[in-house]
Amino acid sequence: MAAGAPLIRLAVFGQPITQSLSPRIHRLFAEQFGLAIDYRAVEADTDTFRDRVSALAAQGGLGCNVTLPLKREAWKLAANRSLDADRAEAVNTLLFREDGWFGDNTDGGGLVDDLENGLGTGVRGARICLLGAGGAARGVLAALLKRGADRIVIANRSADKALQLARKHADLGPVIGIGMDALPDAAPFDLAINATSLGHHGRAPELPAHLLDDDGLCYDMNYGTAAEPLKDFCRSRGIRYRDGLGMLVGQAALSFRLWTGKAPATAPVLAAIRSTPAGRD
Ligand code: ATR
């Protein structure tokens, strides 16, 4: 670390937050540039969030990450927002600017980065099935469409929610919403992305047979214990599988760049994080 480098104050707010991997990821990023960083995981709920973020800004903080269940609160709190954040109605990154806080959503960019650079799986021209239509799906849909997916089919337990989400993004590319039960008729896909919350209840979405082409990929936005059910399912069916740890590191890298103007290398950080048991961000 460069002697006398000014301390960069950052934090991630959420609930629960004690298991967050973000402090470690950002410490590893900062080391790449010899930056001095103080990045904390701070517990907050919808009642305390605004005061805690304000306190960080008052202490000279540069910005913060925001995770569940506060991404919508953060979106409301930002004076200015990126187009991706407005599409998702969710902010995972705040930058404290003199003229008002800027809110961005780097989740979709992190996913695309992990797919394309981490895995070599191109999004452009891919037939994609997005499982789920909640906050996790909303956070990544715009980025996938803007990257040039051939088509995206959003499949959700409640077909209505999938239809609404598709309608809201129709101007960005070919996207439709369907109920989970209609999924077999929409197959095959090159890529299936699990954006449901089932993994947090020890379950995997029921992927119909032949959902994916032979060399297709099942990408789980979960990691750690929440990723185990779908990982096990895919292993038992011989389906290529990837958990969401690379997306976590990818979205963190985009946040880091927004705050510092520096683009960290993600591969060594992902390797370091993988070598220890994962928690929940
Ligand atoms: P998140 O912010 O993690 O996306 P969410 O907004 O509550 O959480 O969305 C959870 C997603 O998982 C939704 O797509 C939800 O389907 P519904 O919209 O029909 O509720 C999906 N999900 C949750 N439990 C499910 C279950 N038992 N079977 C199928 N899908 C489920």
Side-chain angles (χ1 to χ4, degrees):
M1 197 175 300
L7 186 66
I8 296 172
R9 285 185 201 284
L10 297 160
V12 57
F13 296 90
Q15 190 179 54
I17 202 66
T18 48
Q19 298 298 311
S20 174
L21 296 170
S22 295
R24 183 160 173 232
I25 292 171
H26 284 283
R27 244 188 341 265
L28 292 169
F29 287 163
E31 278 172 16
Q32 294 181 13
F33 304 100
L35 296 173
I37 190 176
D38 177 355
Y39 185 114
R40 300 192 181 182
V42 180
E43 188 92 9
D45 57 24
T46 47
D47 292 333
T48 56
F49 176 54
R50 188 176 285 255
D51 286 348
R52 299 214 164 135
V53 177
S54 299
L56 176 66
Q59 286 158 17
L62 199 54
C64 65
N65 280 132
V66 181
T67 186
L68 299 179
L70 300 168
K71 291 184 184 182
R72 198 173 159 81
E73 293 303 314
W75 175 68
K76 291 189 210 157
L77 207 53
N80 304 292
R81 299 173 293 233
S82 69
L83 293 175
D84 280 359
D86 275 340
R87 283 279 175 178
E89 296 184 9
V91 155
N92 76 339
T93 310
L94 283 169
L95 172 66
F96 303 146
R97 282 183 179 152
E98 291 288 323
D99 57 346
W101 295 351
F102 176 73
D104 197 1
N105 191 319
T106 65
D107 286 333
L111 171 63
V112 169
D113 179 65
D114 191 37
L115 285 168
E116 297 197 335
N117 301 323
L119 281 162
T121 298
V123 169
R124 189 172 307 286
R127 298 161 299 169
I128 300 175
C129 160
L130 185 59
L131 304 162
R138 233 180 21 247
V140 300
L141 183 54
L144 292 168
L145 282 167
K146 285 196 293 190
R147 198 67 190 166
D150 174 71
R151 66 186 169 107
I152 298 184
V153 175
I154 307 166
N156 196 44
R157 174 175 59 178
S158 134
D160 267 6
K161 253 168 88 175
L163 280 165
Q164 274 178 33
L165 187 59
R167 217 171 280 140
K168 210 180 151 202
H169 288 74
D171 58 316
L172 294 179
V175 55
I176 61 165
I178 61 172
M180 276 291 183
D181 47 352
L183 202 46
D185 295 332
F189 296 95
D190 304 300
L191 174 63
I193 299 171
N194 179 27
T196 72
S197 55
L198 280 163
H200 294 288
H201 306 285
R203 295 174 54 199
E206 284 165 29
L207 304 187
H210 313 300
L211 177 70
L212 291 164
D213 270 343
D214 284 348
D215 56 350
L217 172 74
C218 180
Y219 191 100
D220 195 347
M221 286 172 63
N222 292 305
Y223 53 88
T225 48
E228 294 299 330
L230 188 53
K231 190 185 296 176
D232 289 347
F233 175 88
C234 288
R235 194 176 290 144
S236 72
R237 304 289 162 98
I239 298 170
R240 199 155 67 94
Y241 171 90
R242 169 86 157 191
D243 71 13
L245 209 50
M247 173 181 166
L248 177 74
V249 174
Q251 61 80 30
L254 294 172
S255 300
F256 190 88
R257 195 174 70 187
L258 183 71
W259 296 321
T260 66
K262 297 180 191 306
T266 50
V269 175
L270 179 57
I273 297 290
R274 273 210 194 282
S275 69
T276 59
R280 170 100 168 75
D281 187 60

